[in-house]
């Protein structure tokens, strides 16, 4: 189908996860026309997989909680390189967004007196996570989807955005392929919100959905957008290890939040040794490294994991509080968690890094391009607290939508030059060749390389090895290809996604090699200590020659009065 369809949107929103949907609602309610696109189906975004809850200092269970305590927790767990202003905004606004979600119809678990229930989660000072059993993401997405449908917000699903179209310091549109028809779409927009989620699929063992290939990072980078903190990848302590088909699948922190304990093959509750105070509920990086250490030192299980046990809580409690986990283990592993221990190991889970944004407006370095959700960076610094991402997508999704509206109101549509469209079309069409290399073979090698060399414990030798493999794969990428037509072409999708994955991988591996210290999720065996010289953020951008460039910037200092909310940073 060669016809090109042009669609106009006051605000184009790329991505229909929680961040994209919340932004679309803002645009619609301001009286402007949003258009939302997703490469999967509406209601299927990665957000749907979220389990444990939404962090918000409502203080329903622990009345001492408030935004200042939440703020302190974010800064400390982000190991003092978070964007402090974003942490303040999240702390203050997350409760409003959760109550709004409740007004939209979300059915939260309840306290005995009928308020929103909040559960404990790793490294949160108080019980803070509003939740719906262990299916919080599903309820969040379904609630927002209802609002989107109810408002008749225009959306295009199975629409793959290949690239943004830039003119001067603005994005004037985007090029999309409707994958189920093969048709080309040109979206003209006054402002654009990127809400495409993370890049967790660049690793072999990951909890992330197939969508998380970092397309938004790739397209933004090619358009001249600045990225930050790309080396900061969160490893979740507990992913499934067995059977092989589900390796990496998440075992929610809610299991530990509800009382689950970790044991090694000798039956020792080793978190008492690694973290006597917080035990299983210490920050994710601490628990993930403890699990890794137990496994590497030979105290792991048959399938290379450790044990997680919640059976002591009894069947009724487990089936009520953790219904999805109960089913997941029964169906996939034949394990009844009301009676038996789970086998778990660290899995890639979240990208703290991504597109650099202004804290209040989520604006990038381009004047009408905004980014929100996992694709953006800043809030989580070197480590994300569980539950803060669902809060992030609601708080900053709304703010990005609002700011995109303000820009669009005083802006007009621009004509999109034909040669810009042709350039992207030529990029897409060059993948059609007779003897192209299979993109999925390269993806397999790339993700294996990342898991083996840029994993939970890093060192210079392995990072250099990864950088070399990524450079070689970039060369080989020129030879990948597919056959047939554009419609339903999985090979083409693989080629396009691989191009984006290579951007994330090069940035992650190079920044990881630059950061010669251990901080938060970034742990190096050759630089095991935190270094005050590295209280800094690394930014990544493309230079005029098309090469990847990096700069190190000292982390911005928070205002003096906010220091009272945070424990002072300690260096050994
Ligand atoms: P996503 O939900 O990833 O949505 C991205 C959207 O962009 C999708 O619609 C996708 O199709 C679209 N897209 C991507 N590329 C393109 C393209 N090229 N063209 C068009 N569309 C595109 N966080 C918490 O706070 N609490 C939890 O309990 C929790 N549990 C989790 C459990 C699991 C198993 C996982 C994996 C994560 C969990 N997280 C949790 C993290 C959280 O779910 C995610 O960070 C968050 O949902 C990301 O939302 P998002 O809106 O930024 O992006």
């Amino acid at each position: 189908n060669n016809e090109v369809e042009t669609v106009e949107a006051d605000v184009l929103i790329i991505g229909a996860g929680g961040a994209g949907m919340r932004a679309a609602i803002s645009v619609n309610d301001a009286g402007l026309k949003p258009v939302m696109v997703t490469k999967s189906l509406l209601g299927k975004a990665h957000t749907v997989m979220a389990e444990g809850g939404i962090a918000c200092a409502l203080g329903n269970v622990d009345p001492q909680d408030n935004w200042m305590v939440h703020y302190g927790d974010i800064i400390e767990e982000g190991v003092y390189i978070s964007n402090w202003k974003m942490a303040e905004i999240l702390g203050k606004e997350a409760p409003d967004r959760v109550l709004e979600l409740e007004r939209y119809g979300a059915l939260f678990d309840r306290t005995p007196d009928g308020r929103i229930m909040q559960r404990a989660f790793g490294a949160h000072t108080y019980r803070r996570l509003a939740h719906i059993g262990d299916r919080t993401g599903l309820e969040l997405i379904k609630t927002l989807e209802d609002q989107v449908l109810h408002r008749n917000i225009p959306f295009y699903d199975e629409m793959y955005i290949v690239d943004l179209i830039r003119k001067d310091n603005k994005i004037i549109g985007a090029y999309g392929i409707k994958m189920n028809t093969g048709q080309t779409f040109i979206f003209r927009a006054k402002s654009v919100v990127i809400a495409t989620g993370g890049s967790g699929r660049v690793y072999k063992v990951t909890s992330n959905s197939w969508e998380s290939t970092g397309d938004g990072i790739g397209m933004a980078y090619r358009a001249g957008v600045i990225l930050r903190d790309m080396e900061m990848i969160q490893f979740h302590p507990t992913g499934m290890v067995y059977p092989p088909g589900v390796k990496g699948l998440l075992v929610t922190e809610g299991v530990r939040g509800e009382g689950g304990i970790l044991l090694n093959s000798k039956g020792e509750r080793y978190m008492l040794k690694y973290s006597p105070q917080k035990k299983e509920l210490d920050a994710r990086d601490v628990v993930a490294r403890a699990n890794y250490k137990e496994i590497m030192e030979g105290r792991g299980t048959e399938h290379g994991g450790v044990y997680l046990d919640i059976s002591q809580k009894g069947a009724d409690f487990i089936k009520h509080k953790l219904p999805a986990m109960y089913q997941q283990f029964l169906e996939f592993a034949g394990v009844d968690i009301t009676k038996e221990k789970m086998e778990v190991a660290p899995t890639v889970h979240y990208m703290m890094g991504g597109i650099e944004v202004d804290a209040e407006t989520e604006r990038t370095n381009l004047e009408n391009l905004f980014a929100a959700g996992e694709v953006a960076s800043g809030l989580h610094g070197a480590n994300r607290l569980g539950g803060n991402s669902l809060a992030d997508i609601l708080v900053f999704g709304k703010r990005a939508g609002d700011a995109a509206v303000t820009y669009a109101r005083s802006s007009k549509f621009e004509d999109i030059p034909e040669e810009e469209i042709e350039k992207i079309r030529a990029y897409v069409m060059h993948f059609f060749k007779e003897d192209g290399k299979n993109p999925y073979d390269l993806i397999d090698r790339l993700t294996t390389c990342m898991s083996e060399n840029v994993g939970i414990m890093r060192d210079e030798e392995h990072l250099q090895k990864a950088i070399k493999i990524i450079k070689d794969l970039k060369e080989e990428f020129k030879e990948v290809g597919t056959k047939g037509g554009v419609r339903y072409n999985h090979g083409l999708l693989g080629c396009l996604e691989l191009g984006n994955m290579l951007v994330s991988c090069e940035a992650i591996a190079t920044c990881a090699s630059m950061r010669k210290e251990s901080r938060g999720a970034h742990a190096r065996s050759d630089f095991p200590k935190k270094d005050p010289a590295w209280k800094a953020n690394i930014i990544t951008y493309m230079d005029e020659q098309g090469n990847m460039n990096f700069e190190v910037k000292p982390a911005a200092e928070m205002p003096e009065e906010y220091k009272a909310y945070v424990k002072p940073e300690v260096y050994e």
Side-chain angles (χ1 to χ4, degrees):
N1 191 339
N2 284 330
E3 255 175 57
V4 174
E5 188 165 330
T6 303
V7 174
E8 284 189 350
D10 288 321
V11 181
L12 172 68
I13 295 146
I14 307 175
M21 288 213 208
R22 187 58 193 82
I25 290 170
S26 278
V27 178
N28 179 82
D29 292 2
L32 267 60
K33 183 187 173 194
V35 168
M36 190 168 64
V37 299
T38 162
K39 72 175 170 178
S40 64
L41 297 170
L42 197 69
K44 287 269 183 197
H46 173 87
T47 298
V48 92
M49 300 169 77
E51 296 165 350
I54 315 172
C56 55
L58 281 167
N60 285 354
V61 180
D62 292 318
Q64 314 90 306
D65 202 11
N66 58 44
W67 77 263
M68 286 89 86
V69 185
H70 196 176
Y71 171 86
D73 288 348
I74 297 172
I75 300 291
E76 286 164 25
E77 293 311 321
V79 201
Y80 305 85
I81 62 163
S82 293
N83 178 327
W84 66 266
K85 186 72 193 169
M86 289 178 91
E88 176 197 338
I89 292 171
L90 187 101
K92 285 181 174 167
E93 295 181 8
D96 296 342
R97 296 284 74 76
V98 167
L99 293 173
E100 176 183 71
L101 202 64
E102 186 185 39
R103 282 198 303 281
Y104 286 165
L107 294 169
F108 287 97
D109 283 11
R110 298 273 152 195
T111 60
D113 62 352
R115 289 170 304 151
I116 293 176
M117 182 58 136
Q118 298 187 268
R119 67 162 47 120
F121 237 54
H124 285 278
T125 303
Y126 296 116
R127 286 171 286 181
R128 192 176 276 150
L129 266 71
H131 59 275
I132 299 101
D134 54 2
R135 295 190 174 116
T136 310
L138 175 66
E139 183 76 3
L140 187 153
I141 274 286
K142 288 294 159 204
T143 303
L144 292 182
E145 187 185 337
D146 275 354
Q147 297 296 317
V148 164
L149 295 174
H150 172 70
R151 287 168 168 80
N152 281 321
I153 292 177
F155 70 89
Y156 293 82
D157 57 8
E158 296 188 83
M159 176 69 74
Y160 186 91
I161 299 295
V162 179
D163 252 330
L164 302 167
I165 302 168
R166 178 175 167 170
K167 183 182 171 198
D168 305 325
N169 203 31
K170 286 175 65 168
I171 298 298
I172 55 175
Y175 183 111
I177 299 173
K178 182 92 175 110
M179 293 184 294
N180 51 340
T181 64
Q183 202 181 350
T184 300
F185 275 71
I186 299 298
F187 294 92
R188 299 172 76 206
K190 294 178 186 166
S191 42
V192 178
V193 177
I194 302 190
T196 47
S199 307
R201 277 274 153 183
V202 302
Y203 283 85
K204 190 92 189 157
V205 180
T206 173
S207 67
N208 282 204
S209 91
W210 68 271
E211 292 161 277
S212 305
T213 49
D215 297 340
I217 306 266
M219 66 180 88
Y221 170 80
R222 286 189 294 276
V225 171
I226 296 171
L227 313 175
R228 124 177 193 164
D229 297 336
M230 287 297 286
E231 70 280 23
M232 295 302 179
I233 303 288
Q234 179 168 80
F235 292 81
H236 195 288
T238 58
M240 285 181 84
V241 288
Y242 184 82
V246 293
K247 193 166 178 183
L249 193 67
L250 193 76
V251 179
T252 176
E253 188 165 327
V255 176
R256 283 171 288 132
E258 298 294 354
I261 56 169
L262 288 162
L263 302 164
N264 61 20
S265 57
K266 296 167 135 184
E268 293 161 340
R269 189 179 173 192
Y270 52 85
M271 284 313 297
L272 294 172
K273 176 176 78 184
Y274 294 104
S275 178
Q277 298 293 323
K278 297 181 180 165
K279 305 180 208 65
E280 279 81 3
L281 289 181
D282 206 332
R284 287 188 172 163
D285 61 318
V286 176
V287 185
R289 279 195 293 273
N291 292 358
Y292 175 81
K293 203 154 182 263
E294 290 299 306
I295 297 163
M296 294 316 274
E297 290 177 2
R299 296 182 291 279
T301 66
E302 181 191 349
H303 299 108
V306 287
Y307 292 115
L308 175 62
D309 191 8
I310 187 145
S311 59
Q312 74 281 8
K313 288 279 185 178
D316 286 349
F317 178 90
I318 293 169
K319 286 182 192 168
H320 173 61
K321 282 287 180 187
L322 302 160
M325 285 302 109
Y326 172 70
Q327 249 174 13
Q328 179 174 314
F329 272 89
L330 205 57
E331 276 171 27
F332 294 141
V335 168
D336 177 352
I337 67 169
T338 66
K339 301 194 187 94
E340 298 166 84
K341 298 193 268 289
M342 297 162 249
E343 273 184 75
V344 295
T347 181
V348 163
H349 189 52
Y350 186 85
M351 276 194 89
M352 274 72 74
I355 297 173
E356 188 175 59
V357 291
D358 169 62
E360 308 215 32
T361 60
E362 311 351 295
R363 202 175 71 101
T364 66
N365 56 310
L366 300 186
E367 64 189 65
N368 67 341
L369 182 67
F370 304 81
E374 192 166 337
V375 73
S377 67
L379 172 68
H380 311 289
N383 202 5
R384 175 184 72 104
L385 281 170
N388 271 0
S389 176
L390 293 186
D392 171 354
I393 63 183
L394 294 174
V395 167
F396 295 106
K398 175 183 186 304
R399 278 181 166 264
D402 291 345
V405 162
T406 306
Y407 188 91
R409 280 197 206 286
S410 59
S411 175
K412 56 181 179 39
F413 290 112
E414 302 259 1
D415 288 334
I416 299 184
E418 197 52 39
E419 61 269 23
E420 292 295 326
I421 298 174
E422 278 313 313
K423 224 170 26 191
I424 305 173
R425 191 202 309 279
Y427 174 69
V428 173
M429 296 317 288
H430 99 279
F431 289 116
F432 289 95
K433 49 184 90 138
E434 263 315 302
D435 303 312
K437 287 194 174 172
N438 182 347
Y440 291 99
D441 171 44
L442 269 71
I443 289 174
D444 190 49
R445 282 150 60 199
L446 182 64
T447 54
T448 304
C449 155
M450 292 299 286
S451 282
E452 285 179 357
N453 300 301
V454 198
I456 190 167
M457 196 50 82
R458 302 163 172 183
D459 64 42
E460 197 58 34
E461 191 190 326
H462 286 89
L463 292 171
Q464 287 307 328
K465 190 171 162 196
I467 292 168
K468 164 96 176 57
I469 294 173
I470 294 163
K471 292 228 160 99
D472 291 347
L473 287 171
K474 266 173 78 179
E475 281 304 308
E476 269 193 65
F477 175 59
K478 295 177 183 155
E479 296 162 37
V480 298
T482 185
K483 284 189 215 158
V486 175
R487 181 168 179 254
Y488 276 132
N489 191 327
H490 204 59
L492 176 63
L493 184 67
C495 293
L496 294 167
E497 289 181 338
L498 174 58
N500 292 323
M501 292 168 88
L502 283 163
V503 172
S504 281
C505 292
E506 185 178 359
I508 295 168
T510 314
C511 294
S513 148
M514 287 172 73
R515 187 179 282 279
K516 303 221 180 318
E517 66 155 357
S518 292
R519 184 179 292 265
H522 172 74
R524 292 196 49 154
S525 56
D526 47 354
F527 295 97
K529 286 195 174 156
K530 195 166 62 160
D531 180 348
W534 272 105
K535 189 178 174 183
N537 304 98
I538 307 177
I539 61 164
T540 301
Y541 57 94
M542 192 171 76
D543 66 18
E544 308 262 292
Q545 288 72 43
N547 296 319
M548 197 174 267
N549 256 357
F550 305 90
E551 259 173 55
V552 179
K553 284 183 167 179
E557 279 290 329
M558 70 182 78
E560 208 48 45
E561 65 269 27
Y562 283 22
K563 294 191 175 156
Y565 312 145
V566 183
K567 285 194 207 96
E569 189 172 16
V570 179
Y571 290 93
E572 280 169 42

